[in-house]
Every structure is written in C-alpha cells, then in structure tokens.
Amino acid sequence: MRICVLSDVHSNLPALEAILAAMAPYDALWHLGDIVGYGPQPNEVVARLAAEGALGVRGNHDAAAIGQLPTDAFNDEARAAVEWTADQLSDISRAWLTDLPERREIADFTLVHGSPRDPTWEYVFTGRTARGSMAQVTSTHCLVGHTHVPMAYLIEDSTVEAHSPDGAALELAARRALLNPGSVGQPRDGDKRASGMVIDTDNHTVEWRRAEYDIGNVQELMREAGLPRRLVQRLELGL
Ligand code: ZN
C-alpha cells in the first residue's frame, strides 16, 4: 500500500494540486493538520481534501480558525490570517475541521500535528524531542508536521539517527521512526516547492517529493484578500 502523507497545506490550493499530482498513484491520503491559515483558499482546500477522503488530525491554525484555540498565542501575522480565515470558512468547512481529532492511530502509525506530548504546540526539531515523542506512542511509527521542515528520526534502542531527505527512498526496515513530510503550502527549509511524503508499507520505505507550483498566482490571491505582506513574500523564499 502506498500512503500519501501531507501536512501544513495552509489554504494553498495550487500547492496542494501540484503535490497530489506528484505523489500519484497512492492508495490512501493522510494529513497532519494546519489545513487552513496563512493562505487565500481555505474552503477550496478543505473541499479538495474532503473529496479525496483524506484522514487526518487538527493543527493549531485549524483549531484557532474554528474558535477552539485563543488567537493571542499567535504572532501578529499568523493571528491576522487566522482571523481572516475564520471569517471566510463556510459551515461545511467549519464542520469538517471540527470533526478532526487531535490524534489518530491508523494501523501501525500515530498521527499528530505537533508531537504526541503536545499535539497542538510542540515542535519536533531535535533527536532528543523525537525520542521523547516516541516514548509516548506504542505504534512503530509516528507522523508529525508543524515544523514545515521534512525530516526523519530513526530510533533504535537509545540512539536516534536524524535524516534529512536527499531524494532517495529511505529504508525503514524494522526501525521505529518519527517522520515529517514537510509543508505543502508554506515550506520553511529553504526550498519553496510544495513538500510531501509517500510511505510504501509493502517495501517499508519512505520517499519525499517536491512539486513546483504557480507561487505568483497564490501571492496575487493573498494580496487581493489583504493578507499580511510578509506572509505573501515568504512563499517565494521557502522560509
Ligand atoms: Zn503550520
């Protein structure tokens, strides 16, 4: 089975379309939250993922946009985008986001947005945090987003091996792993292309993919919506 795993789409429909095309064919689509926030097309992105039958979890931006997390924990630009998003959401989109759990177990995978310890806010940026996170789950693998940086942490006994995607498929073999697909709609690893990951459960491998999309088009929609200028600019930097 080939599972397409996406995170942090952030209301960026052209990036979502591009990465889905780059990942096809796949048998299942999973997401790790932050479907909305920052970008200009929240309802379109929710509709696209709903049509795909995507299974996933809620991120901090999703929770704030549906009024289940106070916006004062966000920086000024993120908060402005969350408030704009809350105004835009249709009843259908809001209901879809409201139905997302904080944590989901599917087969031998645990899905969360931030970390199993704190699905809403904790960032897994170090091997130490990755190991602490894996101590909180019984599944072999844990899938996280939130950092917007594609990454793998392979855990064996007391050692943690950090692995940045290099274009080749990574052999998981029997190792436990914490995997991050990177961000579809606002990558922050210096590569502005949409990021995603495919897990092959027959071969026990994981592969990251990048896809170019029309960033200028998204920036135009963001300007028309009056979204903060720094959020518009960062898309072309991948930061
Ligand atoms: Zn995010």
Side-chain angles (χ1 to χ4, degrees):
M1 183 162 159
R2 283 169 56 83
I3 304 159
C4 171
V5 184
L6 304 177
S7 193
D8 299 273
V9 180
H10 282 299
S11 302
N12 187 333
L13 184 67
L16 175 61
E17 296 288 4
I19 198 70
L20 288 176
M23 307 286 251
Y26 45 84
D27 305 299
L29 175 59
W30 297 351
H31 72 81
L32 306 174
D34 276 9
I35 302 304
V36 300
Y38 294 134
Q41 294 184 285
N43 293 311
E44 292 85 343
V45 163
V46 168
R48 185 72 169 88
L49 289 172
E52 286 268 344
L55 288 179
V57 292
R58 182 190 300 176
N60 51 316
H61 285 256
D62 306 320
I66 57 174
Q68 297 197 356
L69 193 65
T71 55
D72 52 19
F74 290 80
N75 67 41
D76 290 350
E77 282 127 2
R79 186 169 58 244
V82 160
E83 286 165 357
W84 178 87
T85 303
D87 278 347
Q88 301 293 315
L89 285 180
S90 67
D91 290 346
I92 293 172
S93 299
R94 193 172 291 110
W96 192 84
L97 292 169
T98 303
D99 279 345
L100 295 175
E102 268 202 336
R103 175 177 172 141
R104 198 187 278 260
E105 267 102 34
I106 312 176
D108 210 11
F109 296 87
T110 299
L111 283 64
V112 287
H113 179 63
S115 81
R117 234 177 346 218
D118 180 354
T120 306
W121 288 116
E122 189 177 32
Y123 292 91
V124 181
F125 266 127
T126 66
R128 188 187 158 88
T129 318
R131 194 172 53 212
S133 296
M134 291 306 284
Q136 308 272 320
V137 301
T138 51
S139 58
T140 306
H141 304 303
C142 183
L143 309 178
V144 305
H146 195 42
T147 64
H148 296 212
V149 176
M151 197 71 190
Y153 295 95
L154 302 166
I155 288 119
E156 238 170 343
D157 304 323
S158 60
T159 65
V160 185
E161 181 192 324
H163 173 91
S164 284
D166 55 9
L170 177 66
E171 296 275 349
L172 295 173
R175 292 180 291 190
R176 299 190 77 204
L178 182 138
L179 305 168
N180 189 322
S183 167
V184 173
Q186 195 203 74
R188 295 180 190 162
D189 60 337
D191 183 338
K192 62 190 178 185
R193 297 173 299 166
S195 182
M197 172 173 96
V198 182
I199 298 170
D200 186 320
T201 57
D202 298 322
N203 298 330
H204 302 284
T205 58
V206 55
E207 214 176 313
W208 286 259
R209 299 259 172 90
R210 304 301 286 240
E212 295 200 24
Y213 69 96
D214 189 346
I215 292 174
N217 170 28
V218 178
Q219 291 176 315
E220 193 54 44
L221 292 173
M222 289 175 79
R223 282 189 206 99
E224 281 168 19
L227 286 160
R229 188 201 299 231
R230 207 176 75 86
L231 297 179
V232 177
Q233 285 167 342
R234 70 187 301 176
L235 288 185
E236 69 197 52
L237 304 173
L239 292 172

